[in-house]
Amino acid sequence: MSSMKAIKKRITSVNSTKKIMKAMNLVSASKLQKAKSRLDHIRPMFENMALVMDSIKKSISPDVKIDFAQVRDVQNSAYIILTSDRGLCGSFNTNVSKEALAFIEANSRDKNESILAVGTKGWDYFRRRGKNITYRCLGSSEATSFADAEQLGHKAANMYRSGEVDEVFIIYTHFESILTHIPYIVKLLPISTEPSDETDQDRPIEMTFDPDPKTFFKDAIPMYLNTTIYGAMLESAVCELASRMTSMDSATRNAAEIIDDLTLEYNRKRQGMITQEITEIVTGANALN
């Protein structure tokens, strides 16, 4: 009887967990729709911003010195790594953290590294591995705002401008579809002044800058930097919600399977007890005769 009670208690416990997972799945699905809608509206802006900057870079005269485009002898590297603040989102945090760690260890040989961690999970992952975390931004993985991206971009720009670091990378998860999320590594600083398409090198591009190219890029590059970071943060937030939704859906199905297995086991034990009682009654009746 105690075994049946234990099974029944476990069924009740798993059923409660199933309800929680189902609720989290519905909440994540609702948040995902809003986050994806925001990403769809914003994505063209930062994609076009990148195209505009690429066109502008082709028009730069070699004698124009731009602060954020100076190629240095790299001794110090900074890595902006985007993860989530909460768990229960499958392999989302593990994938981007492992990708970031592999890239950092390969790129930072004989270099000093600085990690700007966005999200509790990434901060904890690299803290436990003894990495140098110089900045952390917690509590903004889902509630992403441009102010967070601006603050992060300002921090990265100041580190580069002051010479504290010689290059800046951002590592985040790119949203392809509900089930496909790919870790991306993008070099933010220094800004490359080389044309991205070799076929475009012969195309003459004439641009005038007001008041002058150096002043223009002093304002334009931080804006480009902030917009790129904001786009990456939105991509990461959508991937987090999509991962959590699919994980909770999978957990709900697994819980249902466990309940079915436990119910079958419970019914078998109950049937066995009933059979045993009937056998004892029949045996007792035969003994009286």
Side-chain angles (χ1 to χ4, degrees), residues 84-157:
S84 70
D85 289 303
R86 299 188 296 127
L88 298 177
C89 49
S91 59
F92 168 75
N93 291 306
T94 302
N95 289 343
V96 69
S97 296
K98 285 185 176 180
E99 184 77 15
L101 182 62
F103 179 76
I104 290 172
E105 291 182 345
N107 187 63
S108 294
R109 294 173 182 172
D110 301 326
K111 302 176 186 176
N112 298 318
E113 61 190 35
S114 298
I115 294 177
L116 287 73
V118 180
T120 304
K121 296 301 179 179
W123 170 76
D124 187 58
Y125 182 90
F126 290 99
R127 178 185 60 83
R128 286 187 280 108
R129 284 159 179 78
K131 298 299 180 180
N132 180 32
I133 302 174
T134 59
Y135 177 84
R136 62 175 183 171
C137 176
L138 309 181
S140 63
S141 63
E142 287 186 22
T144 301
S145 67
F146 189 77
D148 295 323
E150 198 172 26
Q151 182 178 2
L152 194 60
H154 184 70
K155 174 68 176 178

Side-chain angles (χ1 to χ4, degrees), residues 119-242:
T120 304
K121 296 301 179 179
W123 170 76
D124 187 58
Y125 182 90
F126 290 99
R127 178 185 60 83
R128 286 187 280 108
R129 284 159 179 78
K131 298 299 180 180
N132 180 32
I133 302 174
T134 59
Y135 177 84
R136 62 175 183 171
C137 176
L138 309 181
S140 63
S141 63
E142 287 186 22
T144 301
S145 67
F146 189 77
D148 295 323
E150 198 172 26
Q151 182 178 2
L152 194 60
H154 184 70
K155 174 68 176 178
N158 283 345
M159 291 176 70
Y160 180 82
R161 189 187 290 112
S162 65
E164 184 180 347
V165 298
D166 303 307
E167 60 181 1
V168 180
F169 295 88
I170 185 168
I171 305 172
Y172 68 100
T173 308
H174 178 74
F175 180 79
E176 293 285 340
S177 66
I178 297 296
L179 299 176
T180 306
H181 317 133
I182 304 173
Y184 270 21
I185 300 172
V186 177
K187 189 172 185 177
L188 295 177
L189 295 173
I191 297 292
S192 174
T193 57
E194 295 296 327
S196 60
D197 189 350
E198 294 181 358
T199 60
D200 289 342
Q201 291 183 0
D202 298 330
R203 297 182 183 179
I205 299 176
E206 295 183 3
M207 289 190 180
T208 57
F209 301 94
D210 184 23
D212 57 77
K214 191 170 184 179
T215 303
F216 173 81
F217 283 105
K218 183 179 180 182
D219 295 329
I221 291 181
M223 182 176 66
Y224 164 72
L225 191 66
N226 297 339
T227 305
T228 303
I229 293 174
Y230 183 54
M233 293 177 77
L234 287 179
E235 296 265 9
S236 182
V238 172
C239 291
E240 176 189 348
L241 292 170

